Amino acid sequence: MTTPIEGFSKLSKEDKINWIAQHYTQHPKETIAVIKQYWNEDEKLQNLHDEFIENTITNFYLPLGIAPNFLINNKLYAIPMAIEESSVVAAASKAAKFWQTRGGFKTTILGTEKVGQVHFMYHGDSEKLTKFFKLVKPRLINSVAPIVKNMEKRGGGIKNIELRDKTSDLDDYFQLHCTFETLDAMGANFINSCLEGFAQSLKEEALCYEKFTDTEKDIEIVMSILSNYIPNCVVKAEVSCPVSDLKAHHGITAEDFAKKIVRAVNIAKVEPYRAVTHNKGIMNGIDAVVLATGNDFRAIEAGAHAYASKDGRYTSLTHANIENGIFKFWIEIPLALGTVGGLTTLHPLVKLALEILQNPTAKELMQIVAVAGLAQNFGAVRSLVTTGIQQGHMKMHLLNILNQLGATEDEKINLIDYFKKHTASHSAVVEAFKELRNKK
Ligand code: MEV
């Protein structure tokens, strides 16, 4: 049994490592070696990473891959993706190549509105509160003028503040529902600072409002925070081509192939068990680019899944149809992304990823990320309705299994070649590996 520790964050990095190794691992010496193996020799770079979070002991690697040949609105992109799942970059690259010769991806920004809320309790007459709000709304906006100044200069800022009566859901619960335009910034800090300013002014103004009783004056601010649900910050990405251009795949006609894709998407529309996995496949592409570009993938995940449930049932984020001989496949997804602020200028690989993407604006990044999600979904559904997912997946996973088994470079070459003609499963790979070793 270990005992709790006081003041862990104040220990030096070495002491933190020693403590964790001694208290929570079987072989402290080896633990320390593993931890230090991932330190960067460049002390400045290591310090930068150490300071991103509290209690850093080492770095946690994820591969950064490139999916080339994405034709988006007639411009070619090579998309950086940070992800551990073996088949994702390969699937994205394959889908990009497929659509590159069929007109590429077309995208449209449907909105860029961000949301934040001040949640508060008010005990009293709601009509009085409405009148009070009308009176003080300009003052609330004024109170954050210094915070908003720069954003306004660039064309962004506060779009609106609305008073919402939520008492039918929870006694005495009201909110200021606020909308913002944050341009190339994701905007979390800007929004939260504005909200905290509104909250403070709201409380102060209420205390001086003569028409309120003492109870009404005592507005209780519960919290002020941005929302990751942003149904009006949405991008659409689509591909389309004549059904006949889809060509026969794996022994099925182009028409059957198109119909199978539409059917698979329609199943994800009506069946939540399938929709969750279908959307997970979309997020494979989305998260990988979001992570590579230093954006907040948890915010993107939460917002996307909420959007997938906006009509009361969890459903597919992509859509497909065939009309007049044209196959169309598209996604609509909320994406609050930033290309300035946050890690964008701090993390050297994030900076590089943005450079590879030709330094996009936030709107351009929304389009690229949505395309990565759509491409990933196309790749997954294509495999699912034709060969099945395991063929491609195991092909990519083969190296992981061989590395786990401790295969040498020669053994890897030999077995990769062998599994070009044989079906790879975990047990088949183990078996073939043992046989190869025994031959020696
Ligand atoms: C695996 O990471 C993603 C898939 O399950 C997505 C899907 O089923 O559509 C293949």
Side-chain angles (χ1 to χ4, degrees):
M1 261 296 271
T2 52
T3 48
I5 180 167
E6 284 288 328
F8 182 71
S9 68
K10 292 190 184 74
L11 297 181
S12 69
K13 191 168 157 186
E14 286 284 348
D15 287 346
K16 282 176 191 144
I17 291 169
N18 289 337
W19 183 84
I20 194 79
Q22 274 156 21
H23 289 83
Y24 283 91
T25 72
Q26 300 282 330
H27 307 287
K29 250 188 162 165
E30 284 85 337
T31 299
I32 293 168
V34 171
I35 289 172
K36 292 191 173 176
Q37 194 179 21
Y38 284 88
W39 281 7
N40 199 296
E41 278 174 18
D42 178 341
E43 218 173 290
K44 217 168 132 207
L45 187 68
Q46 187 54 59
N47 277 343
L48 178 77
H49 284 75
D50 286 355
E51 288 173 7
F52 283 152
I53 60 166
E54 180 139 301
N55 298 344
T56 307
I57 53 167
T58 190
N59 307 304
F60 189 91
Y61 286 3
L62 273 187
L64 179 71
I66 296 286
N69 299 322
F70 272 93
L71 186 64
I72 306 175
N73 301 334
N74 297 321
K75 190 169 162 184
L76 260 182
Y77 290 90
I79 302 189
M81 304 177 94
I83 187 152
E84 86 300 344
E85 192 173 325
S86 32
S87 54
V88 169
V89 178
S93 308
K94 199 169 157 194
K97 210 162 165 201
F98 182 91
W99 286 106
Q100 190 219 325
T101 53
R102 290 166 176 82
F105 296 82
K106 300 279 181 280
T107 62
T108 324
I109 299 286
L110 303 180
T112 56
E113 182 183 275
K114 312 276 171 59
V115 177
Q117 297 170 317
V118 176
H119 305 270
F120 66 94
M121 311 312 266
Y122 163 79
H123 315 279
D125 177 352
S126 66
E127 275 179 28
K128 258 201 224 172
L129 181 68
T130 306
K131 281 190 189 139
F132 162 75
F133 174 68
K134 265 196 195 140
L135 179 77
V136 301
K137 183 174 164 180
R139 293 184 209 158
L140 299 189
I141 293 174
N142 254 342
S143 72
V144 297
I147 302 169
V148 176
K149 208 168 95 195
N150 278 339
M151 190 64 89
E152 273 179 348
K153 262 195 220 152
R154 287 181 272 132
I158 301 159
K159 289 183 77 175
N160 197 15
I161 310 181
E162 220 180 274
L163 173 70
R164 290 194 174 172
D165 182 338
K166 306 292 285 184
T167 51
S168 58
D169 293 327
L170 189 66
D171 283 350
D172 302 330
Y173 170 35
F174 291 82
Q175 55 182 231
L176 299 182
H177 183 91
C178 313
T179 48
F180 302 87
E181 171 54 61
T182 62
L183 307 169
D184 285 335
M186 190 265 192
N189 284 332
F190 169 75
I191 292 173
N192 288 333
S193 300
C194 287
L195 295 172
E196 288 183 5
F198 297 155
Q200 195 187 334
S201 303
L202 183 79
K203 193 157 174 60
E204 285 167 8
E205 292 289 347
L207 283 171
C208 320
Y209 189 57
E210 282 167 2
K211 291 185 182 150
F212 277 162
T213 62
D214 282 351
T215 318
E216 288 167 338
K217 278 182 179 172
D218 193 18
I219 281 179
E220 182 200 338
I221 305 290
V222 180
M223 57 192 158
S224 310
I225 187 75
L226 97 164
S227 173
N228 293 121
Y229 182 47
I230 35 156
N232 296 319
C233 182
V234 173
V235 54
K236 180 179 178 185
E238 63 180 276
V239 285
S240 66
C241 71
V243 168
S244 55
D245 279 6
L246 286 174
K247 298 229 175 74
H249 278 265
H250 311 284
I252 60 170
T253 64
E255 204 182 357
D256 278 348
F257 177 51
K259 281 186 185 158
K260 273 173 182 279
I261 291 196
V262 172
R263 228 173 267 140
V265 173
N266 286 343
I267 288 173
K269 285 195 173 186
V270 300
E271 167 54 57
Y273 278 94
R274 173 56 201 152
V276 171
T277 316
H278 180 92
N279 289 345
K280 187 272 181 188
I282 295 170
M283 300 318 283
N284 277 344
I286 302 242
D287 284 348
V289 191
V290 169
L291 201 52
T293 56
N295 277 280
D296 180 346
F297 62 92
R298 289 85 58 209
I300 297 297
E301 283 279 345
H305 297 297
Y307 192 74
S309 323
K310 72 178 186 327
D311 298 322
R313 174 166 72 176
Y314 189 88
T315 185
S316 166
L317 287 162
T318 54
H319 315 266
N321 68 19
I322 303 168
E323 260 175 35
N324 304 320
I326 302 290
F327 169 78
K328 197 171 136 188
F329 185 55
W330 71 101
I331 186 169
E332 261 184 46
I333 186 161
L335 292 171
L337 297 171
T339 53
V340 298
L343 282 192
T344 53
T345 46
L346 262 186
H347 195 302
L349 280 177
V350 167
K351 243 166 103 177
L352 179 66
L354 289 169
E355 187 187 340
I356 291 171
L357 292 174
Q358 301 165 52
N359 292 318
T361 60
K363 275 186 186 170
E364 284 164 344
L365 187 58
M366 281 170 81
Q367 305 180 57
I368 295 164
V369 170
V371 163
L374 185 67
Q376 203 63 45
N377 186 228
F378 179 78
V381 174
R382 173 169 59 181
S383 297
L384 286 169
V385 301
T386 55
T387 58
I389 206 72
Q390 281 309 87
Q391 193 186 82
H393 190 76
M394 288 311 294
K395 202 170 112 194
M396 294 307 302
H397 194 51
L398 179 58
L399 262 183
N400 285 345
I401 303 175
L402 292 175
N403 282 334
Q404 262 169 24
L405 294 169
T408 63
E409 289 310 306
D410 280 350
E411 285 168 340
K412 283 186 208 168
I413 292 169
N414 193 310
L415 289 166
I416 287 168
D417 197 47
Y418 173 83
F419 280 106
K420 279 185 186 150
K421 294 179 214 92
H422 297 84
T423 306
S425 67
H426 192 274
S427 55
V429 177
V430 175
E431 208 52 43
F433 172 75
K434 278 189 189 156
E435 218 167 279
L436 184 66
R437 276 261 161 117
N438 288 339
K439 262 190 208 162
K440 285 183 183 166

